Amino acid sequence: MRRSRAFIPTAKEAPSDATLPSHKFLVRGGFINQQGAGLYNFLPLGKIVLEKIRAVVKEELDLAGCNEVQLSFVTPIGLWERSGRSEAMGKEMLRINDRHQNEFVLSPTNEEAMVELVKNRVTSYKDLPLNLYQINTKFRDEARPRYGLLRGREFLMKDGYSFHSSTQDMIREFDLMEETYKKIFTRLGLDFRVVAADSGAIGGDGSKEFHVLADSGEDTLIVCQSCNYGANIETIDEFKDKIDELNEKSYEELKELKIDQKCSCGANLHFKKGIEVGHIFQLGTKYSAALEANFSDENGRSKPFEMATFGIGVSRLVAAIIEQNHDESGCIWTKESAPYIVNIMVSNVKDEAQMSLGEDLYAKLRAAKVDVIFDDTKERFGFKMKDAELIGFPYTLIIGKELEGGLVQIFDRKTKESISVESSSAYDKIMELIK
Amino acid sequence: MRRSRAFIPTAKEAPSDATLPSHKFLVRGGFINQQGAGLYNFLPLGKIVLEKIRAVVKEELDLAGCNEVQLSFVTPIGLWERSGRSEAMGKEMLRINDRHQNEFVLSPTNEEAMVELVKNRVTSYKDLPLNLYQINTKFRDEARPRYGLLRGREFLMKDGYSFHSSTQDMIREFDLMEETYKKIFTRLGLDFRVVAADSGAIGGDGSKEFHVLADSGEDTLIVCQSCNYGANIETIDEFKDKIDELNEKSYEELKELKIDQKCSCGANLHFKKGIEVGHIFQLGTKYSAALEANFSDENGRSKPFEMATFGIGVSRLVAAIIEQNHDESGCIWTKESAPYIVNIMVSNVKDEAQMSLGEDLYAKLRAAKVDVIFDDTKERFGFKMKDAELIGFPYTLIIGKELEGGLVQIFDRKTKESISVESSSAYDKIMELIK
């Protein structure tokens, strides 16, 4: 993409209500803008990041044998009445009336619709297991939407639902999804922890959350410094009376606190702050029994499906990546999430040699299927560099005055360090760096 | 994908309200199912087709220099009040109240939101032209939703909006989009016509529709048998009093009717039935003036943007493809839209030689990035063939008894003819056919 033809409206000022780095930098960097309370538009750069995350999620789920579907976002209230959740969902579930005064709901989640879809279409144990997922719009009418994409009302979520003939097989899938989610968050370049999220009535670990570690995280976790144990403090009896107190502390304050208890492995435990980006949950027969969704087992007996459910906050991840990866100048995208991994910046677009090299490298990198943007705008060099730092391209290849001596610079956004390379080896060096 | 692990719930019976082939076959073939009036779920095969169409649309638009965004689906009513369309949109625009009794709208289209997005972010003629599009959920509260995906309430639409500093440049983009749309519908393998849709106040042809020709189409067109002229009869004065009468006639009846008028090229005109799948429209300054969205021209004068808008019914295309491509047995997908282009069918999965060849070809075709499904189910051969015809895979490679003599069959869904080939050359033959 040529920057001169792209719509990337960067700005100096952040919204007045923005307190978190991701909220400030995603708006200032031209990734998103607010349409209404808790309602966000994704501008071209934000849309590219969102689709990159979606693609990683889809690829890993498909490899794990899941089937993608897309359920209607507007769902009839009847579904929710049959499961008994019509009341339980409270005001976060927005109810609407159509022109005929029939009542519908903007889907906040889709257990009911997914069970109805499978009911009577999968009838035998022979057709199980089945794991259906979608990556689709959700709506939760938060009382106080805030923090940009982290607590919006309309958001993009991956929600998956699996159907099984036995608890044992459901747990097998639950474990497979834990591994799949780890692959997804690892590919996205995130430092994350899987933590226990309930006391584990079924199968020992019936509910696990995936948290991106970030100082600004809303949740407080304890993690072992030695083994891979972790837990959300909200699920631990010992912290029951201190949840609010601990959640209100900043990470700076928390990390000074000592935890008396030891991990079962014997090592010390520490506090961390996390942003929940995934949740896997063993449902058992809660929804299948309520909605009478049954299958025939080997002996011809009718039984409700054993189920599990698996969620990933896809649009939330856009913000979580930045909460974990930013500095005072702006965003620092990871390789797999960056809207463009290379930014070719021509310092003086009126200089023929600079532009010619820029065009040449742009064409070569595109031919090699590298996600590259070509900053061919007439702005001052200083402005362009500030902009590149705010947006957070992992590498900026600077073609400036030093080209007279045959050199170009490669700027690493994360370290903010530049290296000089011969212009003739710039392509090879970039290809090596982005590997 | 292995058929034994896929969720493809085909059915013998069509919904009782289904009158059109696409409605019947898409439900029976396990592509979609109804969640509520005018609300459809896309099951795995339907989702794949939808994403294939989306990918073609996106690829061609990006090549033409458009920028993809994603606007919030729920939009504040204020936007619509400022443009004056709050009343004009009528009951098709569904209004909703959130928990704080603020009024919102489920987006039926997005002119206002797109103008607000560009307003104050693009301020100079130097940053024009700009063409922003999204492929996103829309909702229109139809009084009588029917015909499956052809007249649903929730649907997937590509809506694009371009911004220009002059009428001349807007018309240039309008022409570019006409060519781009032609490429899209051609790639999808469709027989379509571009028809005039208004008297052309601006620039001569201010509004054009793209129609997929199909006997069951809702619209009546006149098309020239010689040149590429075509028009929707609703836009032609001579037919003003006969629109309803003509629209109610079947294509069988229509094609018997003679048209007295000649085309301006001198040739005869004929009636056709069409399904509208695209619409491009020169807006001028209607929305930019109403919403005071201005830019500075070369002389520093403030002017409202010249605009055009471009739509494609993405989920509607899933049905339009089948309205044009089906027979009494089911769907006949075009190459670019098929959920899987090759279906490998093992007649007797207990026969080791048959299964072994099936696995081998499945692995080879997957390695060659061919979209292939492997029917490894235990059903009878006759059942599997009927199912394959209903779903409409372009080619089914049948591995059956003839393998004892070294032969396999390749079944062409469109012609329903089979050819026998040596099993050793089956891969090459398939690769040749799907090119």
Side-chain angles (χ1 to χ4, degrees):
Chain A
M1 173 61 81
R2 282 171 196 274
R3 181 69 194 269
S4 59
R5 301 272 26 100
F7 180 56
I8 307 176
T10 54
K12 277 190 186 164
E13 300 295 328
S16 56
D17 66 327
T19 54
L20 293 186
S22 67
H23 190 179
K24 289 181 196 170
F25 292 137
L26 289 173
V27 172
R28 286 191 51 211
F31 292 88
I32 59 171
N33 84 299
Q34 186 172 304
Q35 170 100 283
L39 304 173
Y40 284 87
N41 297 326
F42 286 82
L43 312 193
L45 286 188
K47 177 66 174 169
I48 295 172
V49 173
L50 191 68
E51 292 306 311
K52 288 207 164 186
I53 297 170
R54 183 208 293 260
V56 170
V57 171
K58 175 172 170 55
E59 208 175 297
E60 293 297 334
L61 291 173
D62 289 351
L63 277 174
C66 305
N67 278 256
E68 190 180 12
V69 299
Q70 180 178 310
L71 302 186
S72 180
F73 171 56
V74 174
T75 52
I77 189 74
L79 271 179
W80 305 85
E81 286 167 347
R82 286 200 287 285
S83 74
R85 282 214 291 184
S86 174
E87 290 310 311
M89 292 297 290
K91 283 193 172 175
E92 280 194 14
M93 185 163 87
L94 191 63
R95 290 125 202 273
I96 62 177
N97 288 300
D98 72 2
R99 67 197 289 163
H100 302 303
Q101 295 307 312
N102 291 317
E103 198 174 352
F104 293 84
V105 157
L106 300 188
S107 298
T109 174
N110 283 105
E111 281 80 2
E112 286 82 354
M114 210 60 97
V115 170
E116 282 288 332
L117 176 60
V118 169
K119 181 179 173 178
N120 296 330
R121 289 192 177 84
V122 173
T123 54
S124 162
Y125 72 96
K126 291 180 198 163
D127 298 324
L128 297 173
L130 181 65
N131 189 330
L132 298 177
Y133 76 96
Q134 62 172 345
I135 300 173
N136 206 351
T137 305
K138 297 277 178 294
F139 194 92
R140 287 184 196 162
D141 198 6
E142 296 271 354
R144 247 189 83 206
R146 58 194 184 282
Y147 304 145
L149 296 182
L150 286 176
R151 196 161 289 280
R153 296 199 288 178
E154 183 178 317
F155 54 97
L156 189 68
M157 187 173 156
K158 175 259 157 172
D159 48 328
Y161 308 84
S162 69
F163 299 82
H164 308 271
S165 57
S166 69
T167 304
Q168 190 186 1
D169 191 60
M170 184 264 283
I171 292 171
R172 176 202 52 72
E173 186 77 10
F174 182 82
D175 293 341
L176 173 64
M177 284 299 110
E178 178 176 344
E179 291 313 307
T180 304
Y181 276 32
K182 284 181 187 169
K183 282 184 196 164
I184 289 168
F185 299 126
T186 301
R187 271 184 65 180
L188 290 172
L190 289 164
D191 184 12
F192 66 95
R193 292 290 182 283
V194 189
V195 304
D198 74 359
S199 54
I202 308 166
D205 291 296
S207 173
K208 289 186 179 179
E209 293 171 354
F210 296 75
H211 284 264
V212 170
L213 299 183
D215 298 358
S216 60
E218 274 193 296
D219 287 298
T220 306
L221 317 174
I222 51 169
V223 300
C224 176
Q225 66 173 28
S226 171
C227 75
N228 64 3
Y229 173 78
N232 190 323
I233 58 160
E234 295 183 13
T235 67
I236 302 175
D237 288 342
E238 287 91 327
F239 293 99
K240 226 173 199 169
D241 304 325
K242 298 188 202 162
I243 294 172
D244 288 345
E245 183 194 329
L246 287 166
N247 276 344
E248 274 164 27
K249 286 191 196 299
S250 72
Y251 178 61
E252 291 302 312
E253 293 166 326
L254 271 181
K255 69 181 180 187
E256 301 301 323
L257 297 181
K258 272 199 180 156
I259 302 178
D260 298 333
Q261 295 89 337
K262 300 278 176 190
C263 179
S264 58
C265 80
N268 287 330
L269 293 167
H270 291 290
F271 284 115
K272 292 275 185 189
K273 284 285 191 183
I275 299 166
E276 188 190 336
V277 292
H279 194 165
I280 59 177
F281 196 85
Q282 299 180 11
L283 286 172
T285 59
K286 178 177 173 183
Y287 295 96
S288 50
L291 296 164
E292 297 175 52
N294 302 316
F295 69 97
S296 298
D297 73 4
E298 289 92 331
N299 304 310
R301 276 178 311 205
S302 180
K303 287 181 177 174
F305 297 108
E306 285 288 334
M307 289 179 62
T309 177
F310 314 99
I312 292 180
V314 177
S315 50
R316 179 169 246 238
L317 271 166
V318 177
I321 290 168
I322 295 309
E323 286 302 324
Q324 189 175 83
N325 301 279
H326 68 270
D327 60 17
E328 69 291 348
S329 307
C331 306
I332 305 175
W333 294 101
T334 61
K335 285 183 183 177
E336 187 102 29
S337 66
Y340 295 97
I341 193 162
V342 179
N343 174 37
I344 299 176
M345 183 191 296
V346 170
S347 177
N348 177 6
V349 295
K350 287 177 187 160
D351 181 304
E352 268 185 42
Q354 289 183 21
M355 267 308 267
S356 159
L357 178 63
E359 291 280 3
D360 183 44
L361 286 168
Y362 178 55
K364 268 191 184 159
L365 288 168
R366 269 161 46 105
K369 308 244 181 245
V370 173
D371 291 326
V372 56
I373 185 164
F374 182 26
D375 189 345
D376 56 348
T377 59
K378 291 176 190 160
E379 305 290 347
R380 290 174 296 108
F381 174 72
F383 179 91
K384 293 212 260 198
M385 273 308 293
K386 272 222 168 96
D387 222 43
E389 290 185 17
L390 172 61
I391 294 170
F393 305 114
Y395 300 101
T396 293
L397 195 147
I398 303 164
I399 304 174
K401 265 191 228 161
E402 292 79 357
L403 184 60
E404 289 171 19
L407 295 176
V408 297
Q409 280 69 46
I410 297 175
F411 172 79
D412 181 326
R413 175 64 186 87
K414 196 168 179 180
T415 62
K416 285 193 172 179
E417 284 169 8
S418 288
I419 53 168
S420 280
V421 296
E422 298 274 341
S423 64
S424 57
S425 62
Y427 173 81
D428 290 340
K429 186 66 189 173
I430 282 284
M431 292 305 280
E432 183 195 317
L433 286 169
I434 66 176
K435 247 194 296 203
Chain B
M1 173 61 82
R2 281 170 196 276
R3 181 69 195 268
S4 59
R5 300 276 22 103
F7 179 56
I8 307 176
T10 54
K12 276 190 186 164
E13 300 295 329
S16 56
D17 66 328
T19 53
L20 293 186
S22 67
H23 190 178
K24 289 181 196 171
F25 291 137
L26 289 173
V27 172
R28 286 190 51 211
F31 292 88
I32 58 170
N33 84 298
Q34 187 173 303
Q35 171 99 283
L39 305 173
Y40 284 87
N41 296 326
F42 286 82
L43 312 193
L45 286 189
K47 177 66 174 167
I48 296 172
V49 173
L50 191 67
E51 291 306 311
K52 289 207 165 188
I53 296 170
R54 183 207 294 260
V56 170
V57 171
K58 175 173 171 54
E59 208 175 296
E60 293 297 335
L61 291 173
D62 289 351
L63 276 174
C66 305
N67 278 256
E68 189 179 12
V69 299
Q70 180 178 309
L71 302 186
S72 181
F73 171 56
V74 174
T75 52
I77 189 74
L79 271 179
W80 304 85
E81 286 166 347
R82 286 200 287 285
S83 74
R85 282 212 292 183
S86 173
E87 290 310 311
M89 292 296 290
K91 284 193 173 176
E92 279 193 14
M93 184 162 87
L94 190 63
R95 291 127 201 273
I96 62 177
N97 288 300
D98 72 2
R99 66 196 290 163
H100 303 301
Q101 296 308 311
N102 291 317
E103 198 173 352
F104 293 85
V105 157
L106 300 188
S107 298
T109 174
N110 283 106
E111 281 81 1
E112 286 82 355
M114 209 61 96
V115 171
E116 282 288 333
L117 176 60
V118 169
K119 180 179 173 177
N120 296 331
R121 289 191 178 84
V122 173
T123 53
S124 163
Y125 73 97
K126 290 179 198 163
D127 298 324
L128 297 173
L130 181 65
N131 189 330
L132 299 177
Y133 76 96
Q134 62 172 344
I135 301 173
N136 207 351
T137 305
K138 297 277 178 294
F139 194 92
R140 287 184 196 162
D141 198 7
E142 296 270 353
R144 248 190 82 206
R146 57 195 185 281
Y147 304 144
L149 296 182
L150 286 176
R151 197 161 287 280
R153 296 198 289 177
E154 183 179 317
F155 54 97
L156 189 68
M157 187 172 156
K158 175 258 157 172
D159 47 329
Y161 308 85
S162 68
F163 299 82
H164 308 271
S165 57
S166 69
T167 305
Q168 190 186 1
D169 191 61
M170 184 265 283
I171 292 171
R172 176 202 53 72
E173 186 77 10
F174 182 83
D175 293 342
L176 173 64
M177 285 299 111
E178 178 176 345
E179 291 313 308
T180 304
Y181 276 32
K182 284 181 186 168
K183 282 183 195 164
I184 290 167
F185 299 126
T186 301
R187 272 184 65 180
L188 289 173
L190 289 163
D191 184 11
F192 66 95
R193 291 290 182 283
V194 189
V195 304
D198 74 0
S199 54
I202 308 167
D205 291 297
S207 172
K208 290 186 179 179
E209 293 171 353
F210 296 75
H211 284 264
V212 169
L213 300 183
D215 298 358
S216 60
E218 273 193 296
D219 287 298
T220 306
L221 316 175
I222 51 169
V223 300
C224 177
Q225 67 173 27
S226 170
C227 74
N228 64 3
Y229 173 78
N232 190 323
I233 58 160
E234 295 183 13
T235 66
I236 302 175
D237 288 343
E238 286 91 327
F239 293 100
K240 226 174 199 169
D241 304 325
K242 297 188 202 161
I243 294 173
D244 287 346
E245 183 194 330
L246 287 166
N247 276 343
E248 274 164 27
K249 286 192 195 299
S250 72
Y251 178 61
E252 291 302 312
E253 293 166 327
L254 271 181
K255 69 180 180 186
E256 300 301 323
L257 297 180
K258 273 200 180 153
I259 302 178
D260 297 333
Q261 295 90 337
K262 299 279 176 189
C263 179
S264 57
C265 80
N268 287 330
L269 293 166
H270 291 290
F271 285 115
K272 291 275 185 189
K273 284 284 192 184
I275 299 166
E276 188 190 337
V277 292
H279 194 166
I280 59 177
F281 196 84
Q282 299 180 10
L283 286 172
T285 59
K286 178 177 173 183
Y287 294 96
S288 49
L291 295 165
E292 297 174 51
N294 302 316
F295 69 97
S296 297
D297 73 5
E298 289 92 332
N299 305 310
R301 274 178 311 205
S302 180
K303 287 182 179 174
F305 297 108
E306 285 287 333
M307 290 180 61
T309 177
F310 313 99
I312 293 180
V314 177
S315 50
R316 180 170 246 237
L317 271 166
V318 177
I321 290 168
I322 296 309
E323 286 302 324
Q324 188 175 83
N325 301 279
H326 67 270
D327 60 17
E328 69 291 349
S329 307
C331 306
I332 305 174
W333 294 101
T334 61
K335 284 182 183 177
E336 187 100 31
S337 66
Y340 296 98
I341 193 162
V342 179
N343 173 37
I344 299 176
M345 183 191 295
V346 170
S347 177
N348 177 6
V349 294
K350 287 178 186 159
D351 181 304
E352 269 185 43
Q354 289 183 23
M355 266 308 267
S356 159
L357 178 62
E359 291 280 3
D360 183 44
L361 286 168
Y362 177 56
K364 268 192 185 158
L365 288 168
R366 269 161 46 105
K369 308 245 181 243
V370 173
D371 290 326
V372 56
I373 186 165
F374 182 27
D375 190 345
D376 56 348
T377 59
K378 291 175 189 159
E379 304 290 346
R380 291 174 295 107
F381 174 73
F383 178 90
K384 293 212 260 198
M385 273 308 292
K386 271 223 168 95
D387 222 43
E389 289 185 17
L390 172 61
I391 293 170
F393 305 113
Y395 300 101
T396 293
L397 194 146
I398 304 164
I399 304 174
K401 266 191 226 158
E402 291 79 357
L403 184 60
E404 289 170 19
L407 295 176
V408 297
Q409 280 69 45
I410 297 175
F411 172 79
D412 181 326
R413 175 63 186 87
K414 196 167 180 179
T415 62
K416 286 194 171 178
E417 283 169 9
S418 290
I419 53 169
S420 281
V421 296
E422 298 274 342
S423 64
S424 58
S425 61
Y427 173 81
D428 290 339
K429 186 67 189 171
I430 282 284
M431 292 305 280
E432 182 194 318
L433 286 169
I434 66 177
K435 248 193 297 204

